[in-house]
Amino acid sequence: MSTLSSSAQKFQDLLNSLGYNYTVIEHAESTRTAQEAADRAGCELGQIVKSLIFKGKESGKPILVLTSGMNRVDEKRLRGYAGEAISRPDADFVRAVTGYAIGGVPPIGHIQPMETYIDEDFLQYPTIWAAAGTPNAIFELKTTDLQKMTDGKVVMVK
C-alpha cells in the first residue's frame, strides 16, 4: 500500500480516531470532479458525494451541502433551509472554514462547524464515495454513516 499525502493521511487518521474502518485511496489521477471520482471508484455518478460550501449572506456562516454527483443544488431551496440568502464563496473562504482545497473537501473534519444538508438521493445507494482531503483522494462509506458522521439534515437539494 502506498503512502498517503499529508492531507489524505490527516483525514485517514480522523476516520480511524472516530472509529470508522474506512480506507482512504489516493489516486495518481484527479478525483476533483464528480465524473473523475466515479471513474476512479468504478461506481455510478450518483454515488459520488460533492461537498459544496455556501456562505450565508447576512451571517457569513459556512453551509455545507453534500449532494449527489448527478445533481445540481437548487440555491433557492437551500436559501429556504438556511433561512437567509446564500452565496458561493471563493476558494480562500472554503480553505479557511474547512482546512481543505476545493476538489478535496471531505464531509467531516473541518476547521469550523457548519450547518450541513445531505442530498436525499443518496438513500437509494448502500455505499457512496466522498473526497478525502485532496483532489486525488476518495473513500467509500456506508450511506447510513454519512448522516451519523455529519449530523446533517437529509433533504431534497436539487
Side-chain angles (χ1 to χ4, degrees):
M1 187 151 154
S2 62
T3 305
L4 296 172
S5 66
S6 61
S7 285
Q9 186 61 57
K10 177 175 98 172
F11 187 72
Q12 180 68 70
D13 294 344
L14 173 65
L15 287 173
N16 295 345
S17 73
L18 294 173
Y20 292 104
N21 190 25
Y22 296 129
T23 303
V24 171
I25 301 167
E26 198 159 23
H27 296 271
E29 305 86 9
S30 174
T31 57
R32 181 181 296 270
T33 70
Q35 188 60 62
E36 288 171 343
D39 292 346
R40 306 291 171 262
C43 69
E44 292 180 36
L45 184 59
Q47 288 177 270
I48 298 300
V49 178
K50 294 190 296 190
S51 298
L52 304 176
I53 305 293
F54 293 88
K55 182 178 183 181
K57 280 192 176 175
E58 289 84 36
S59 65
K61 70 180 176 185
I63 300 164
L64 174 64
V65 178
L66 302 170
T67 188
S68 170
M70 64 184 178
N71 292 341
R72 287 185 56 98
V73 173
D74 179 339
E75 293 185 22
K76 191 177 201 179
R77 188 182 305 273
L78 180 58
R79 198 169 40 235
Y81 298 145
E84 67 178 304
I86 57 164
S87 65
R88 287 280 189 123
D90 64 19
D92 290 338
F93 179 85
V94 172
R95 187 181 282 280
V97 300
T98 68
Y100 298 96
I102 291 174
V105 176
I108 58 170
H110 308 129
I111 292 171
Q112 288 188 26
M114 54 190 84
E115 196 170 302
T116 302
Y117 298 97
I118 300 169
D119 191 334
E120 67 183 8
D121 284 354
F122 288 131
L123 300 178
Q124 65 187 303
Y125 303 105
T127 62
I128 51 182
W129 290 80
T134 78
N136 294 46
I138 55 177
F139 74 109
E140 184 177 24
L141 68 151
K142 292 178 188 167
T143 305
T144 54
D145 281 344
L146 185 62
Q147 200 281 326
K148 290 178 204 164
M149 286 177 168
T150 63
D151 197 30
K153 298 177 187 104
V154 177
V155 296
M156 180 186 292
V157 299
K158 63 181 180 187

